[in-house]
Amino acid sequence: MPLRADPCIGMLEFSSIAAGIEALDAMLKDAPVRVLLARPVSPGKYLVLVTGDVDEVKSAVHAGRGGRLDALVDELLLPNAHPSLFEALAGRGHAGEIDAIGVIETVSAAAAVVAADRAVKQASVTLLDLRLANGLGGKGYLTLTGEVGDVEEAVRAGAAHAEAKGLLTRKVVIPRP
């Protein structure tokens, strides 16, 4: 059974585990959001990823930021998140025959979520995987598949935001892997 895709994703990425745990507590006390992910990740960072109604997520993210800006690495408020993000975050991305693979690697986990959302909204592609920080030195990456032209278009669109913010590590399209 697929996950119910709520309309908004919010994320806070901290350089301090203690700040992340404190932020999670503040977020859950502030608004009735659903936690998608809350855990320490390497190298000594903490991620909090929540979903719910746009106003609730916005409020929770604001509460989580409060008093912890010194430890905030990156943040995200993504209204109208593409439904495939929820499946990929849960490790349930899938594809049939693969014509091309696209990879976008970012410096922060939040930048990878934005890249994934923009990529799947831009072209007819399937999000295969979305990995955030753990075992990646704090980075994030996504893989997607589709027809070569669609994958090229999706990777270009997905990487643009991260590139503009100086958070893109690398983007790759591999035709006929």
Side-chain angles (χ1 to χ4, degrees):
M1 177 177 189
L3 288 175
R4 184 178 138 259
D6 292 299
C8 187
I9 291 177
M11 180 179 195
L12 294 173
E13 189 172 344
F14 292 97
S15 61
S16 161
I17 294 167
I21 293 169
E22 181 183 39
L24 174 63
D25 178 66
M27 293 168 82
L28 294 175
K29 287 178 178 172
D30 182 78
V33 292
R34 184 169 58 101
V35 178
L36 294 174
L37 177 104
R39 68 174 183 221
V41 294
S42 62
K45 292 166 64 173
Y46 197 89
L47 295 182
V48 178
L49 187 65
V50 298
T51 187
D53 172 82
V54 173
D55 290 334
E56 293 167 350
V57 171
K58 188 182 290 187
S59 180
V61 167
H62 179 73
R65 294 174 80 237
R68 290 168 280 284
L69 293 178
D70 60 322
L72 188 65
V73 173
D74 204 352
E75 66 184 293
L76 162 68
L77 183 66
L78 186 61
N80 303 312
H82 193 277
S84 66
L85 293 182
F86 296 90
E87 295 296 322
L89 284 166
R92 292 195 288 263
H94 54 76
E97 190 172 316
I98 294 178
D99 187 47
I101 290 179
V103 182
I104 302 172
E105 180 183 358
T106 62
V107 172
S108 75
V113 174
V114 172
D117 186 64
R118 289 182 178 202
V120 296
K121 287 179 177 174
Q122 181 66 33
S124 180
V125 294
T126 300
L127 186 60
L128 295 173
D129 200 8
L130 177 55
R131 299 287 174 113
L132 305 178
N134 214 20
L136 303 172
K139 297 192 287 185
Y141 79 90
L142 63 110
T143 56
L144 48 87
T145 189
E147 298 287 324
V148 175
D150 289 333
V151 171
E152 289 172 340
E153 184 179 349
V155 166
R156 192 171 29 258
H161 177 73
E163 193 167 29
K165 290 182 73 178
L167 298 174
L168 180 67
T169 302
R170 190 172 188 90
K171 61 182 178 183
V172 175
V173 174
I174 303 168
R176 292 167 292 292

